[in-house]
Amino acid sequence: MQDRRLAVLGAIVQDYVSTSEPVGSKSLLERHQLGVSAATIRNDMAALEEDGLIVAPHTSAGRIPTDAGYRLFVDRLLAIKPMSRAEQAAIAEFLSGAVDLDDVVDRTVRLLASLTRQVAVMQYPSLTRSDVRHIELVPVGEARLMLVLITTTGRVEQRTIEVAREAVADEDLVARLRAGINATASGRRLGEAAAALSVLPDSFAPSERDVVRRVIGALDEALIEEREERVVMAGTANLARRPGDFPATLEPVLDALEQHVVLLRLLSTAEGGQQHIAVRIGHENPVTGLQSTSMVTTGYGTGGDLVGGLGVLGPTRMDYPASMAAVRAVAAYVSALLTQ
């Protein structure tokens, strides 16, 4: 009996997501092979309503899922339906055309918004979770050096350093300094690299240490400087295409979406791994303005390390299996891109 009622709940969720109309026993029998009578379906619907899993939005025979009904439906999903090979190929082709990290992020949110018809959000890779990939040191002009820091997550930071002309002209010094910095910092977390580089000037001749300290000082700023985390969105207009899914107005939702600190908290990657999909439904959202929405998120990263989060946000009347599949697939491709 419990399994049958879960099947009825699943059918109600699927039909309501598809049609946006309250679902009645007659339509359930017509659209689904449940193998029972109309009276049995009505009894099951009454039991589901008593358990708070479905509700009548007005005085009609139709029912719609509650937040608790959606939650039980999501929790009982046996598996997330994989995307088709054509969809996977399209994702790979679209993301592989990115030219830099900014382009990767921009393409990711536009792709997710297109695939799910929801609002897509993505957190830029966190510097605190990034490693040093390479540091370049290039003479520019007669008395300047350009410092370029490249992280494993694709972030690029640049600094211009004023130094003595003699130092810029000394190609051997610049080459040794570049090699020493990379040997010390490459492969380390940014904070660890900054600490390790503090003793590098001691390995140079006294006459060379001033320029070394200037370069290390500029690199310290790039390595440990506190930065505001960034979130990028796409597809906000998708919310306006479904105004009936929001009880009163879109204003609280749009106000919440403008608060990037709120989105960063919701995109937190502290729990779970890259295969973990988090689903917050309706009143499970800690932000009042988003309690008429659902959010599907996951983490992405390099190797086993998570460096950021991405996901989609939309009304609770969401195609959860499809949204979960899209979020997981896109996160996997983004992670693969960052490790190249």
Side-chain angles (χ1 to χ4, degrees):
M1 184 180 297
Q2 186 66 19
D3 289 343
R4 190 185 67 240
R5 287 178 180 169
L6 288 174
V8 171
L9 174 63
I12 292 172
V13 170
Q14 292 172 38
D15 285 1
Y16 182 60
V17 168
S18 175
T19 68
S20 77
E21 296 292 335
V23 182
S25 58
K26 181 179 179 181
S27 61
L28 285 178
L29 286 172
E30 292 173 349
R31 295 171 184 164
H32 302 273
Q33 300 296 322
L34 296 172
V36 293
S37 67
T40 301
I41 295 296
R42 287 194 292 272
N43 288 337
D44 287 340
M45 291 178 69
L48 291 171
E49 187 170 11
E50 186 176 346
D51 290 340
L53 301 174
I54 59 175
V55 66
H58 44 72
T59 55
S60 72
R63 300 293 184 271
I64 65 173
T66 63
D67 289 356
Y70 285 124
R71 166 52 59 196
L72 184 58
F73 172 76
V74 170
D75 288 346
R76 293 302 179 98
L77 283 176
L78 297 179
I80 301 175
K81 182 181 178 180
M83 306 194 78
S84 69
R85 290 186 178 181
E87 290 172 324
Q88 294 180 38
I91 292 172
E93 181 178 0
F94 186 73
L95 293 182
S96 64
V99 296
D100 55 25
L101 180 63
D102 290 337
D103 198 15
V104 169
V105 175
D106 179 67
R107 285 172 179 252
T108 297
V109 291
R110 286 192 289 123
L111 177 63
L112 263 179
S114 175
L115 287 172
T116 63
R117 298 181 182 178
Q118 314 288 357
V119 179
V121 291
M122 181 175 179
Q123 173 190 9
Y124 259 78
S126 171
L127 282 173
T128 60
R129 304 190 192 113
S130 301
D131 296 342
V132 176
R133 174 174 288 172
H134 182 71
I135 299 169
E136 190 55 65
L137 198 60
V138 183
V140 287
E142 295 183 351
R144 291 181 179 179
L145 291 172
M146 172 70 77
L147 180 72
V148 182
L149 166 66
I150 304 172
T151 73
T152 53
T153 54
R155 296 278 291 257
V156 178
E157 299 292 328
Q158 297 181 353
R159 294 289 187 279
T160 300
I161 311 157
E162 299 282 348
V163 296
R165 293 186 178 185
E166 297 78 9
V168 176
D170 190 341
E171 295 180 3
D172 177 65
L173 172 58
V174 173
R176 286 187 289 115
L177 180 51
R178 182 190 300 115
I181 289 173
N182 278 288
T184 303
S186 293
R188 293 178 181 263
R189 282 290 168 94
L190 300 190
E192 296 173 359
L197 286 166
S198 63
V199 298
L200 185 63
D202 297 338
S203 63
F204 286 78
S207 61
E208 300 171 334
R209 290 175 185 169
D210 180 63
V211 66
V212 176
R213 290 192 182 97
R214 286 176 179 269
V215 172
I216 298 304
L219 189 54
D220 279 348
E221 292 179 6
L223 290 170
I224 64 176
E225 184 181 47
E226 290 291 335
R227 285 177 179 77
E228 180 183 0
E229 295 287 0
R230 295 173 60 191
V231 175
V232 177
M233 286 187 296
T236 307
N238 287 329
L239 296 176
R241 296 188 180 99
R242 302 167 69 178
D245 286 321
F246 299 94
T249 172
L250 271 173
E251 186 175 350
V253 178
L254 297 177
D255 286 344
L257 288 177
E258 289 181 357
Q259 302 177 42
H260 284 196
V261 173
V262 168
L263 293 179
L264 282 168
R265 188 165 76 247
L266 295 176
L267 287 170
S268 172
T269 57
E271 298 180 4
Q274 291 183 34
Q275 294 299 313
H276 176 71
I277 304 291
V279 182
R280 293 186 181 91
I281 299 171
H283 286 79
E284 295 173 356
N285 280 306
V287 182
T288 303
L290 297 179
Q291 290 182 351
S292 61
T293 70
S294 288
M295 194 168 188
V296 178
T297 60
T298 191
Y300 69 91
T302 56
D305 296 325
L306 298 180
V307 297
L310 59 82
V312 297
L313 179 144
T316 55
R317 190 179 69 87
M318 176 188 291
D319 186 341
Y320 291 96
S323 296
M324 294 164 72
V327 166
R328 184 173 66 178
V330 171
Y333 280 105
V334 171
S335 297
L337 277 178
L338 293 179
T339 58
Q340 292 178 358

